[in-house]
Amino acid sequence: MLVAGSLIKRVGKRLFQFPVGTVPAEYKFSRNEHQSVIKARTDDEKDHILETLCEKKSLLLQTCTPTGSIRYCTSCMHIKPDRTHHCSSCERCFLKMDHHCPWVNNCIGFRNYKSFILLMFYTFLYCAFYVSTIIPHIISPWGHSKFAEDLPISIGFGFAAIMGLTTFGFMCYHLYLTSTNETTLEKVHPPHFVEEDLSYDLGTMQNMVTEHTPWGDIL
């Protein structure tokens, strides 16, 4: 139990401190370039300016807006790389953003997604261990419940059971997203590719390897 608690603390600390994944400098615009974009009178003029700047910076993009335009963030003043989204809570754009997690007060994305899944896994183990060890205490060998006699322990038992089931459900869902190489945002709002045959799905095994190995061993 102490080991699980230590792992939760360690991974949780990484979620608080790890950068989610900032947009590379080559995607950012100067103030003059940004002004030229926002002062465009028509959408066609804006698209032309963005396309010119993309060619100038040699940016390769696989996704676009539903209308076929280049994805641009007016708040952060840069072209959005593929799978990048703007978080209204953090007021920043993050690479491969999955969602903003209020529990860790940070966005979950490219750099800390593995830590997020590990946090759910260790939390589930911690809750499962607590529930399994407390059952013999609150239920006698003769089948007589002691819930009323040990109310604080019973409340802890219920909280751990609910938390364990909840984190297990979230963990399974995110493992499913990992197997399909999708994010929560992409599941809700599928990306629009510039070509119909493009996809992020590399196959289940390759998706899992790509998702969980690039950032080093957290343990």
Side-chain angles (χ1 to χ4, degrees):
M1 190 170 184
L2 291 176
V3 174
S6 176
L7 289 172
I8 292 173
K9 181 179 179 181
R10 186 175 181 181
V11 175
K13 185 177 180 181
R14 283 177 173 265
L15 280 172
F16 278 105
Q17 297 179 350
F18 256 40
V20 182
T22 56
V23 175
E26 57 266 27
Y27 287 86
K28 299 179 181 180
F29 286 175
S30 65
R31 186 165 297 276
N32 290 335
E33 291 172 333
H34 174 67
Q35 288 296 323
S36 66
V37 173
I38 62 176
K39 288 182 179 180
R41 297 180 180 179
T42 63
D43 291 338
D44 290 339
E45 182 181 353
K46 179 181 177 181
D47 291 343
H48 176 71
I49 294 173
L50 290 175
E51 289 173 1
T52 301
L53 291 172
C54 279
E55 292 177 0
K56 177 182 177 181
K57 296 173 179 288
S58 300
L59 302 179
L60 298 177
L61 301 172
Q62 293 184 328
T63 57
C64 58
T65 65
T67 59
S69 302
I70 294 174
R71 299 168 65 241
Y72 180 75
C73 181
T74 55
S75 300
C76 299
M77 297 191 303
H78 61 65
I79 290 176
K80 292 182 179 179
D82 294 330
R83 316 191 81 172
T84 298
H85 295 277
H86 185 86
C87 176
S88 57
S89 298
C90 298
E91 298 182 347
R92 294 174 59 190
C93 283
F94 294 110
L95 298 177
K96 201 180 180 184
M97 178 180 168
D98 187 88
H99 68 284
H100 181 87
C101 181
W103 298 104
V104 298
N105 192 32
N106 198 4
C107 279
I108 306 301
F110 177 69
R111 293 288 302 278
N112 63 359
Y113 190 57
K114 178 181 178 180
S115 298
F116 176 69
I117 292 181
L118 286 176
L119 177 65
M120 291 188 292
F121 176 66
Y122 293 140
T123 301
F124 166 71
L125 287 184
Y126 187 90
C127 292
F129 180 82
Y130 181 87
V131 168
S132 63
T133 54
I134 210 68
I135 286 179
H137 179 76
I138 61 177
I139 300 179
S140 67
W142 300 277
H144 299 293
S145 175
K146 297 182 180 179
F147 274 83
E149 299 176 16
D150 297 314
L151 185 59
I153 296 178
S154 301
I155 293 175
F157 172 85
F159 178 80
I162 294 173
M163 180 63 71
L165 290 174
T166 302
T167 53
F168 179 74
F170 275 117
M171 181 183 67
C172 290
Y173 177 69
H174 280 279
L175 287 176
Y176 161 73
L177 291 179
T178 300
S179 68
T180 58
N181 200 4
E182 293 177 289
T183 65
T184 301
L185 288 175
E186 290 169 353
K187 196 67 177 177
V188 177
H189 303 289
H192 297 270
F193 292 97
V194 294
E195 297 180 11
E196 294 183 359
D197 58 341
L198 292 177
S199 173
Y200 296 132
D201 191 356
L202 305 176
T204 302
M205 293 303 298
Q206 188 61 37
N207 289 338
M208 298 293 285
V209 171
T210 303
E211 193 70 47
H212 291 297
T213 56
W215 313 312
D217 186 11
I218 288 181
L219 301 178

